[in-house]
Amino acid sequence: MEHLDEKTIRSSFVNCSKGEAKRLNLPRDLADLRWDDLDFLGWRDPQAPLRGYLVARHEGEWCGIVLRASEHGAGAGRRSMCSLCLTARTGGVALLVAPRAGRSGQKGDSVGTYICSDLQCSLYLRGKLSTGSVGMHETLPLEQRVERLVDNVDTFIGRVLRAA
């Protein structure tokens, strides 16, 4: 993933107002991120723990999505799978919901899916972070797993952009 600056990130959001995008908290370590290890930029807001953000390419443009975590999550002791990176783990996966873009989202329409709760799918996929639990053995080469992750993120963004 190419390095993104604050202006690019803030202007990419499609499911919140420009004012909300201007006020959202960016990752504290933005300047120190290892962009080569990322397939999308994802982070949770340390000042609003139920909020998360995801920025990725969609149809050639940067697209940012505001997410809200379920207060109950997938269950701390339950084995769950992230629908983006397909990492299976005990705990650490949350139902994240995004308001749809445009008028649909303003009316309250949203889409959700189970995602690694810290939004660090790229790092789990590459073995840079450990889930802390024994996972399934993945037989696909890393390149194909990355391609699958990018496709899954793109599909999720497409669902957020699609009118209900």
Side-chain angles (χ1 to χ4, degrees), residues 3-63:
H3 182 277
L4 299 178
D5 61 18
E6 180 178 344
K7 181 180 178 189
T8 302
I9 294 168
R10 291 188 188 284
S11 66
S12 73
F13 282 89
V14 296
N15 66 341
C16 69
S17 71
K18 289 181 181 182
E20 289 172 309
K22 193 175 185 179
R23 292 185 303 273
L24 64 82
N25 296 309
L26 295 177
R28 291 182 180 146
D29 61 348
L30 187 63
D32 300 324
L33 289 177
R34 296 182 58 144
W35 295 93
D36 290 342
D37 291 333
L38 300 178
D39 305 298
F40 67 90
L41 176 61
W43 74 100
R44 292 292 284 269
D45 188 333
Q47 295 175 338
L50 294 179
R51 292 195 70 145
Y53 308 98
L54 182 152
V55 179
R57 284 255 184 221
H58 179 75
E59 297 181 357
E61 301 292 326
W62 289 112
C63 187

Side-chain angles (χ1 to χ4, degrees), residues 122-141:
S122 298
L123 301 180
Y124 292 117
L125 202 69
R126 289 171 171 77
K128 305 280 181 175
L129 287 178
S130 171
T131 63
S133 62
V134 177
M136 298 183 307
H137 176 68
E138 181 74 65
T139 58
L140 287 176

Side-chain angles (χ1 to χ4, degrees), residues 13-17 20 63-67 97-112 155-164:
F13 282 89
V14 296
N15 66 341
C16 69
S17 71
E20 289 172 309
C63 187
I65 303 292
V66 173
L67 302 162
V97 178
R100 287 192 187 269
R103 194 170 298 287
S104 296
Q106 293 168 356
K107 291 180 181 178
D109 292 344
S110 61
V111 295
T155 298
F156 180 66
I157 291 172
R159 289 176 54 211
V160 171
L161 293 172
R162 191 171 34 248

